Amino acid sequence: MVKASVKQLAEAIYALIESAKTQKELTETIAAYLVVEQQTKDADRVLREVERLRYERDGVLEIVASSRRNLNESTKQVISQIFEAKNSKIVEQTGENLVGGVSIQALDKWLDLSIRGRLNQLKNTNLGKG
Amino acid sequence: MAQPDISVKELSSDIRKAIEQLKVRPEIESVGIVTRIGDGIAWVYGLRDAGFNEMIEIESETGHVTAFALNLGEDEIGAVLLGDDRYVKAGAKVRRTGKILEVPVGPELVGRVVNPMGEPLDEKGPIKTNRKGRVEQAAPGVLDRKSVHEPLMTGLLAIDSMVPIGRGQRELIIGDRQTGKTAVAIDTMINQHRQQTGVINIYVAVGQKLSKVARIIERLKREGVMDQTIIIATSASDPASLQYLAPYAGTAMGEYFRDNGQHALIIYDDLTKHAAAYRQMSLLLRRPPGREAYPGDVFYLHSRLLERSAKMSDKLGGGSLTALPIIETQAGDISAYIPTNVISITDGQIFMETNLFYQGIRPAISVGLSVSRVGGAAQTKAVKSVAGPLRLNLAQFRELAAFAQFSTDLDAETKQRIERGQRLTELLKQPQYSPLGVWEQTAILMAANDGAFDSVELEDIKQAQQALLTTLHREHKKAMQTLNTGAKPTDEIIKIITGVASQVAKTYKKNTEQPRT
C-alpha cells in the first residue's frame, strides 16, 4: 500500500479536527495511524502543515512568544495585531538566554525583538565586523 | 601643522545621525526549522521562498553553520551543509541569506592555498579582496567567444608536437592510477613559469590525499611557480559538499582572469572523485539513482563546469580559461560511464597507458588514442613545421614493432622505419619537472626528421639530444632566441640546427665496424 504524503495526512487531520469531540480522541487517532503506517518520523512535518492549513483556511494562528518574564495583556494584544490573524492564540515560553525583550514565532515567520537577537544582528553589520 | 576647521557641536550632531542610521530595525523574517539532520544533509521545513543553490544559515551550538539548498520540495528543503553537522540539532532555526554561493576572486588569491569557500589554509593571513564570483555561473555564449588559436605550451614534447593544446581549450588527461596524469599537469604549470607566459595556474585538488597536495605545493614552491598559482584543496576527509564545490569555486576564480583579458589554466584533479562526491550527495538527498548509482544529471555536472573554460572574443578582452580535467580509469576502460561522458564534453584527450609507463616510456602517452580536436590551430609555427611526420612515423613504427625481433630478415626500408620509430620513441621520453621550450622542441624534431639520430645508438639518444641542445644554446644563442618566439624557422636556422645535429651525431655514431667475436 502506498504511504500517504505529508500533505495528504495534513488534510486528513485538518478534517478530523473539525469532527473530533475531544483533543484526547484526536490525539489517539492520529498517533495510532502514524504508528501503524510507520510514519511517526513525519509527525512534526504533518502537524506544521496542519497549522498552516488552519491559518490559510480559518485564520487560526498559534503564536509562540518567548521572553524572560511573563507578558502582560497589552503586550499580548500588540503581538496578536502584528500577525493580523482572525483568531490567534499566544503560547508563552520562558527563554532565559534571551537576556531581555521578546522573540515571537508563528508558522515560518519570526520576529526577534530580544536583546540577544539585536546584539547578533549588530554583530553582523559593518560596525560589528569592524 | 594647522588644525582642520572642525566644529565639535556639528560633529556631535553628525555622530548622532550616523548612530541613528546604524540602528538595527527588526523585521518579521521567514525561518525554517530543521526536521532531520545527518550525513551532512539537513532537511528543513519552511523557507518556501528559498532559491536553488541559495545559501542558508542554520543555528548550531557553536553559532551558525552555512548550507546551500539543493532539494526544493513543496514543504521541505534538502540542504547540504558546508560545515560540521555535529553541532546542528533537529528543531534548529534556519534563515535565508538571499545570496547564491559566492567565493572571493581576484589577484589577491594568487600564491595562496584555499578551501572551496575561499578560506585560507596556508596560514598566511586573510585574503584581502572585496570581489566575489558566483560558484555557479552561466558559460559564455557563442558570440562572446573566439576560436582557439593561441598555443598553451605544456613543455612536453610528446604533447606539444602531436596533441597540441590551445588557450581556451578543454583537454582531458585520462588513464589508470599511477600513470603520470598529475605529473603532466604539474609540468604544464611549471612551463608557464619557465617560459614566462603570464598564465595563472589554478590547481583544484578534489578529494586527494593531503600528503599528495603538500608534495605538489612543495614542488611548485621549489620551482618558483607558486607565485602564479592558486591551489584549492579538498582532502578525502572533507565533506562531500566541499569536494562537490571545489571545481566550481576554482572555475569562478579562473573566470576573473578570463573576463579581465588575462589567461588562466585550471586543472581538475580529479573529476572521477568529483562525480563520486556528487553521487554521495544525491543519494543522501534521496534523488533517484541511475546508471552505476550516479544521479541522472551527472553529465550536466561536468558539462556546465567545463563549458565555462573558453577563449573570449577580442571585444571582451581576449582572455582565456584553459581546462585540463583529469579522469582516472579502472583497468584502462575508457568506455566506462564517467570517462565517456567527459570525453564527449572535452576538445580532446591525452591517454596515459600503464603498459607504456612500465616500459619506461614516460610521459606514458598513447599516441594512437590521444587526440586534440583543435590541432594545428593551437600550435606554434615553429613546432608545426617539424611535427608533421612524427605521428605518421610513430604509427608506422607501431604497426611494424612486432617484427623488430626478426630484424635480420626484414628489408632495408622496414628496418629503417623501425630504427627511426625506436629513436623517436626515445626522444619523446622526458624526465619530470623538465619542460622544454619552443626552440628546444623544434631543434630536437628537426634533427630527428633530418635523420641525424639514425646513426646514434639507442642507449645514447638522450645524451646526443642533450649535447645538441647544449651546443645550440652555447654557440647559437641569438638564433635560438629567435626560434623561441615561435616563428617558422628560417633557412638559416634550419641550416644551423641540422649542421650541429650532424656534428653531434658523429660523436655518438654507432660503431658498425667492430669485428665479431
Side-chain angles (χ1 to χ4, degrees), chain A residues 6-7 45 48-49 52 82 105 108-113 118 121-122 125 127, chain B residues 22 24 26-31 33 35-36 45 48 59 74-76 93 95:
Chain A
V6 166
K7 205 167 178 184
R45 287 167 63 194
R48 284 196 187 96
E49 189 64 17
R52 190 182 65 80
I82 288 171
Q105 187 172 350
D108 60 348
K109 301 287 182 228
W110 186 29
L111 179 60
D112 193 350
L113 296 169
R118 287 186 182 221
Q121 284 182 17
L122 198 60
T125 62
L127 192 66
Chain B
L22 276 172
V24 176
E27 291 173 352
I28 296 177
E29 52 181 335
S30 290
V31 293
I33 307 285
T35 55
R36 286 172 286 158
Y45 173 85
R48 286 165 191 272
E59 274 183 358
E74 200 174 1
D75 62 339
E76 207 175 39
K93 287 196 179 66
R95 278 196 194 81

